[in-house]
Amino acid sequence: MHFREILALTVLAINIHDVLGSPAPVPDASQAEAGKQLWISTPESTAPPAGIPSDYALHPARRAQPPSGVHLPGPKDRPAMNEQDGHADFIRTPDIGSAAPGYQKQAPVIKGITSVLDSNQQSPLNNGNPLVFKSQKHPYVPNASLFDSSTIKLPLATNKWWQNLIVEQGVDPVHPYPYIVYCNTNSSKIGFPKFTVAPEHVTSDMSSEWELGDASGALKQRKVTNTDALGVEVTWTGSGSAQMRSRFYKGMPFQTFELKSVTPLLRTTNAITKVEPVQRAVLSAHETEAQVTIDVADMPAMSKITLNDNSQWLVASKPEIKWKQNEGTLTQQGAYTGFVQLAHLGDQPQNNINVLQQYVGTYPIEGAVTYAQVQGSDGTGRSSNIVYFYKTNTDVDGDTKQVYNTTSVSTTMQLLSFVLPHHVDNIGNNTILSTGLSGYRSAKGPLTAVAGNIISYNQPLERVSFEGMRAISDSDKDRLKQQLLKDAASSTTVTAQDPYFFGKGVARVARLYQIAQEIGDKTTAATLGTKIVNLLTPWLVSKSNNDTLVYDASWGGVVSTLGISDPSLDFGQGRYNDHHFHYGYFLYAGAILAKYDINMFAPLREPMNQLLRDYANPSYADTQFPYMRHFDPYDGHSWAAGLFSFMDGRNQESTGEAINAYYSAYLYAMALGFDETAAFYEIVLNMEATSGRRYWHPMRSQSKDLYGNAFAHNTVGIVWSSKADYVTFFGADTEFVYGIQMLPFTPATRMLIRPDWVKEAWCPDNSTCADGMKTAAQHANKNGWAQFLYTAYAMVDRNAALDNALSCTPDDGNTLTNTMHWIFTNQQASADA
């Protein structure tokens, strides 16, 4: 039986009927996790996991969608078109019929922008030492029929936004905002999503769609043929020289396909009610009527097509395709070589077409990202420019001003694209189109049109370190030391056998170690340091633990023995779910140990380096681990889901653990003196926190703008490529939704939650917002989830938070010492609330 039939979808469920049925008793975080069981769904199944509200299920016409693989947190392939940091492997667009040449490294020259790190060089984390983990082949073999192994080589991507293209049979869609795209064997289907907003979720379905292929049936196979920092290239081949190619990037209003020796076929399941030729009548700001007349012969031919659902599309081609209509199908006789572009005209077709036609014919062929050197200081505001660089089909030797080849005049035609709300918050006004485009959105809210091959936005950088934000008073320090002695004696045993819960446990001890160092208790710190080494040694040195970590030679990464043997074990860790969550805890312990006792840390250094390279490798030159496995520089956050195919694309639930992953990476690089690497991780950490606040932790007014009036929560449980859920993978209780976005509490947690957000989310009036944190904390009834919420409340009222938080039983990754420390270093007096 095929894997898809055995494990079509993997979803976590939890027996929480007692939780949902009555307010008490509520399981604490570790009990909730221990109650997990897997829900296996066949493609025919549409029932949601137990304990999830019935209205959480998707539209009955669609397959049931799980939460991300199998993560229940408690309480690239080296790209052939390499990107980052101003060092792109650029290739001029070859003739579509030619084999892809080798990619040459050429850094895009961007005036005034200097990269923080050269990612085309080896990282100091990789010193050439052999792998410390035993190597073995993965039973889930990469499907070589889905990608070109001559350009897509080990290590392979596992968590990218386009991952559906190379896992299982590659039949599920990808989500290059604002579209939904299927890459079938012999065609591509392009859909424009319709979003449905309900109190507990925002979902999307195709409301209007086209399929582009070859009328003669010559196309027989499709493969991923290249990737880069921002997108993916897909090529269809078949009989003779027939070929179709597209490069998918998020935020492109045009979906573009290059055709060679193909008989174009464009069809829709809707009825075509009108096909109208479009004459280019709107002038760009720099054009005159005479220039437009001269240029028009070199412009793509355009048609406006209206469907019976009242949607309108702009279809462009160059050379012109003489479309012939037969009901819902458009074709042209004979083989064609050129390109076709499709663009939905949004909710204001006439205005939008006036804008779109100014940019028709230009499309990206490569994408790169630069993380610029840090500028400013703590006093003036530190920041980094995040720069997206797109090379287009009409660039000349990397010149970002694309020019049509006309004999008498050159018309500058820039790339048109969209950006997300978190970009708009810090983007230059000169980049945003004053005329704009209306009616385009993603699951993260409305999309904003920008013009230019280079898009730069300013990422503010918030300083964070090993210690808490504020100094602790002497009286609080005495109280903290007393509790530390208790927890050092009672909370340092870790019995968990899987990497996630073990990671939480050893990080719990490492927090005690850090706090002991911070308050000057060297005796307790020494004992705790030895304990950390003893805990980590069986996992990383002697390999004597039960669930040994191994190196997966098939994909390129470190996985658990149980996880690689069974995708339902260790939360899907063997299929690359949640590595940043799991190993982030290990790295936190390693970072603290390295800072205070480098000699004691020494035996752990190389395995720690390799765990960090697994989830946050900063180098494309690494042949063992992919570059930044989880992080998506366009969305500004990580994707947790690994080698599982989902209709709704990638997803992430626990923003708190994602932030912990990059916080730990930053501390680790700092402790080892890798300054450039640390600066890079600091930028990534701040990007993750910014997107976490924007999309998982919005103010209610922001939530309405992003997700719609019916979905007006202060927090989101799971963000997918194409939907958002007010639920977690292990239950729907409000304390779960809030708590999973906060844990673990460290000095970096303040980057994710803000006093004004906590104050609004607390919402003491239950009649005003039944989803408030106060109500959720009361419902949690003094367990670990309640403690997280009360701890956060310290940003509003220290004393109330402290009294309530210390009366709760900690989660298995937390202690009363850590709770007190966080409150003492993040407190706000009640008089100021």
Side-chain angles (χ1 to χ4, degrees):
M1 183 176 290
H2 192 274
F3 175 78
R4 178 177 280 275
E5 297 171 314
I6 298 172
L7 188 64
L9 299 170
T10 307
V11 182
L12 289 177
I14 180 172
N15 294 323
I16 56 169
H17 60 276
D18 55 329
V19 181
L20 298 176
S22 58
V26 179
D28 65 17
S30 58
Q31 289 173 329
E33 291 164 338
K36 68 183 183 298
Q37 59 184 358
L38 289 176
W39 176 67
I40 308 300
S41 168
T42 64
E44 289 75 29
S45 173
T46 56
I52 303 300
S54 58
D55 64 351
Y56 175 69
L58 294 178
H59 188 282
R62 299 180 66 190
R63 228 173 38 202
Q65 281 300 289
S68 84
V70 279
H71 169 56
L72 181 65
K76 122 179 166 232
D77 142 275
R78 182 186 174 197
M81 293 187 283
N82 281 346
E83 53 101 40
Q84 297 280 358
D85 311 319
H87 299 271
D89 289 349
F90 280 149
I91 175 175
R92 294 299 307 274
T93 305
D95 180 272
I96 192 167
S98 65
Y103 283 81
Q104 304 300 316
K105 293 181 180 179
Q106 298 178 17
V109 178
I110 305 175
K111 185 177 181 180
I113 299 294
T114 304
S115 170
V116 73
L117 181 74
D118 184 354
S119 62
N120 285 322
Q121 301 300 316
Q122 285 289 359
S123 161
L125 299 170
N126 181 8
N127 52 21
N129 288 337
L131 290 165
V132 300
F133 302 101
K134 180 182 177 181
S135 179
Q136 71 177 70
K137 294 290 187 180
H138 203 299
Y140 183 59
V141 180
N143 188 343
S145 69
L146 297 177
F147 61 91
D148 184 349
S149 59
S150 70
T151 56
I152 308 297
K153 300 179 183 297
L154 282 171
L156 297 173
T158 57
N159 299 72
K160 298 306 179 184
W161 68 266
W162 46 262
Q163 200 70 42
N164 280 353
L165 293 172
I166 64 168
V167 295
E168 300 182 25
Q169 297 305 305
V171 299
D172 284 333
V174 291
H175 301 268
Y177 320 139
Y179 298 101
I180 302 173
V181 174
Y182 288 82
C183 293
N184 304 322
T185 302
N186 57 3
S187 66
S188 182
K189 184 182 290 185
I190 306 95
F192 192 73
K194 176 182 179 181
F195 288 88
T196 301
V197 183
E200 308 306 321
H201 54 250
V202 180
T203 58
S204 64
D205 287 285
M206 281 192 179
S207 64
S208 178
E209 62 190 54
W210 288 96
E211 184 177 10
L212 179 65
D214 178 39
S216 70
L219 298 178
K220 305 292 185 182
Q221 184 182 43
R222 73 95 175 141
K223 289 185 177 183
V224 170
T225 48
N226 267 308
T227 66
D228 61 35
L230 295 169
V232 60
E233 177 186 277
V234 179
T235 303
W236 290 258
T237 57
S239 305
S241 60
Q243 189 178 104
M244 181 169 78
R245 178 171 63 187
S246 185
R247 301 169 185 87
F248 299 108
Y249 293 92
K250 285 183 283 192
M252 296 299 149
F254 293 101
Q255 292 298 300
T256 305
F257 297 82
E258 297 171 332
L259 310 178
K260 181 178 182 180
S261 301
V262 167
T263 304
L265 179 147
L266 191 58
R267 60 188 171 195
T268 177
T269 54
N270 299 91
I272 298 174
T273 61
K274 187 182 295 185
V275 179
E276 304 171 81
V278 176
Q279 299 298 325
R280 186 167 182 256
V282 176
L283 307 180
S284 298
H286 56 274
E287 292 179 319
T288 68
E289 291 183 12
Q291 287 173 328
V292 171
T293 302
I294 294 171
D295 292 347
V296 71
D298 197 51
M299 293 291 292
M302 295 175 283
S303 298
K304 182 174 70 173
I305 302 178
T306 304
L307 305 181
N308 66 343
D309 62 356
N310 293 321
S311 66
Q312 294 185 338
W313 291 74
L314 179 64
V315 178
S317 59
K318 183 183 178 183
E320 181 179 4
I321 296 177
K322 303 291 186 180
W323 296 110
K324 292 186 178 181
Q325 180 185 351
N326 182 10
E327 297 183 343
T329 301
L330 300 172
T331 58
Q332 171 179 285
Q333 295 295 320
Y336 171 85
T337 296
F339 66 79
V340 175
Q341 292 186 300
L342 296 91
H344 193 278
L345 293 181
D347 60 5
Q348 295 184 21
Q350 190 55 53
N351 176 72
N352 290 339
I353 200 171
N354 288 341
V355 175
L356 288 167
Q357 64 176 316
Q358 297 181 51
Y359 299 89
V360 69
T362 303
Y363 55 90
I365 59 173
E366 293 163 19
V369 180
T370 292
Y371 304 81
Q373 285 185 350
V374 176
Q375 56 193 12
S377 63
D378 290 330
T380 60
R382 300 170 65 250
S383 66
S384 169
N385 287 319
I386 311 302
V387 185
Y388 307 137
F389 180 95
Y390 296 98
K391 188 174 183 183
T392 73
N393 58 311
T394 51
D395 285 340
V396 177
D397 296 326
D399 183 359
T400 61
K401 291 184 177 181
Q402 167 266 320
V403 178
Y404 276 118
N405 296 320
T406 61
T407 57
S408 56
V409 68
S410 294
T411 303
T412 301
M413 298 288 289
Q414 293 178 312
L415 180 70
L416 180 66
S417 63
F418 291 115
V419 292
L420 292 166
H422 78 280
H423 300 129
V424 176
D425 292 342
N426 292 289
I427 204 168
N429 290 332
N430 59 333
T431 305
I432 297 176
L433 283 186
S434 58
T435 50
L437 289 169
S438 174
Y440 302 88
R441 63 162 294 145
S442 73
K444 293 184 172 75
L447 298 171
T448 300
V450 296
N453 300 37
I454 296 176
I455 301 170
S456 175
Y457 75 97
N458 187 262
Q459 173 62 57
L461 299 180
E462 181 174 343
R463 183 79 76 178
V464 66
S465 187
F466 291 86
E467 297 82 15
M469 178 182 176
R470 293 190 175 102
I472 305 172
S473 69
D474 290 341
S475 59
D476 285 343
K477 190 177 294 185
D478 290 342
R479 188 176 180 182
L480 188 60
K481 185 173 182 177
Q482 294 174 21
Q483 185 61 50
L484 173 66
L485 294 173
K486 295 177 183 178
D487 286 335
S490 63
S491 298
T492 59
T493 299
V494 182
T495 60
Q497 300 297 306
D498 67 281
Y500 176 68
F501 286 113
F502 172 80
K504 287 184 66 178
V506 74
R508 179 187 72 226
V509 180
R511 281 297 297 146
L512 295 176
Y513 181 46
Q514 166 61 35
I515 293 168
Q517 294 283 2
E518 199 168 327
I519 65 174
D521 188 346
K522 301 300 182 181
T523 301
T524 302
T527 301
L528 291 168
T530 300
K531 182 69 175 179
I532 294 169
V533 172
N534 292 339
L535 287 169
L536 287 169
T537 295
W539 281 82
L540 302 181
V541 181
S542 66
K543 317 298 195 310
S544 57
N545 64 302
N546 292 335
D547 193 6
T548 312
L549 298 177
V550 298
Y551 177 78
D552 164 24
S554 299
W555 293 87
V558 176
V559 296
S560 67
T561 301
L562 292 178
I564 198 173
S565 64
D566 187 338
S568 69
L569 299 178
D570 291 351
F571 313 114
Q573 206 255 23
R575 295 280 185 91
Y576 294 94
N577 279 3
D578 309 344
H579 278 207
H580 57 327
F581 299 163
H582 296 197
Y583 299 149
Y585 286 117
F586 283 71
L587 262 296
Y588 181 79
I592 303 305
L593 199 60
K595 174 176 172 59
Y596 295 107
D597 196 328
I598 195 68
N599 293 324
M600 187 179 290
F601 170 73
L604 302 168
R605 179 169 180 155
E606 188 55 33
M608 282 288 181
N609 284 352
Q610 293 180 22
L611 287 186
L612 180 51
R613 286 162 61 200
D614 175 89
Y615 78 83
N617 176 23
S619 171
Y620 278 119
D622 197 319
T623 60
Q624 295 165 323
F625 299 94
Y627 180 88
M628 297 300 289
R629 186 183 301 280
H630 297 272
F631 191 70
D632 186 326
Y634 180 87
D635 288 74
H637 65 78
S638 298
W639 296 113
L643 300 177
F644 297 91
S645 190
F646 301 114
M647 288 281 288
D648 290 310
R650 302 296 95 192
N651 63 70
Q652 178 161 273
E653 177 189 56
S654 180
T655 52
E657 289 176 307
I659 283 173
N660 182 65
Y662 300 116
Y663 173 56
S664 300
Y666 170 63
L667 296 184
Y668 186 81
M670 288 276 287
L672 295 183
F674 301 154
D675 294 344
E676 289 184 352
T677 306
F680 170 70
Y681 286 142
E682 182 186 23
I683 295 169
V684 172
L685 167 62
N686 276 271
M687 291 173 71
E688 188 85 37
T690 295
S691 287
R693 293 192 304 270
R694 199 65 167 92
Y695 305 120
W696 281 263
H697 287 248
M699 302 294 284
R700 288 185 188 272
S701 60
Q702 291 178 322
S703 185
K704 292 178 181 180
D705 291 339
L706 293 176
Y707 303 115
N709 290 333
F711 190 93
H713 302 291
N714 274 111
T715 193
V716 179
I718 311 163
V719 172
W720 298 71
S721 300
S722 62
K723 72 172 182 175
D725 289 323
Y726 185 73
V727 72
T728 72
F729 295 135
F730 50 93
D733 283 15
T734 304
E735 59 266 31
F736 298 167
V737 181
Y738 277 111
I740 198 62
Q741 304 306 339
M742 299 180 186
L743 66 85
F745 273 78
T746 72
T749 307
R750 189 182 180 91
M751 302 174 71
L752 186 60
I753 60 176
R754 303 297 204 200
D756 57 345
W757 177 85
V758 174
K759 189 172 185 178
E760 181 182 88
W762 193 254
C763 194
D765 184 356
N766 184 54
S767 63
T768 302
C769 50
D771 61 348
M773 282 174 60
K774 180 179 181 180
T775 303
Q778 293 169 344
H779 180 261
N781 195 25
K782 302 297 182 180
N783 68 9
W785 296 106
Q787 188 173 68
F788 292 139
L789 307 194
Y790 286 127
T791 301
Y793 192 60
M795 303 185 90
V796 176
D797 187 336
R798 166 221 160 101
N799 292 333
L802 189 63
D803 292 345
N804 281 289
L806 295 184
S807 68
C808 298
T809 301
D811 150 76
D812 58 355
N814 198 21
T815 61
L816 291 179
T817 298
N818 186 54
T819 299
M820 292 173 66
H821 178 272
W822 202 90
I823 291 174
F824 291 159
T825 57
N826 290 276
Q827 64 190 9
Q828 175 69 43
S830 58
D832 298 330

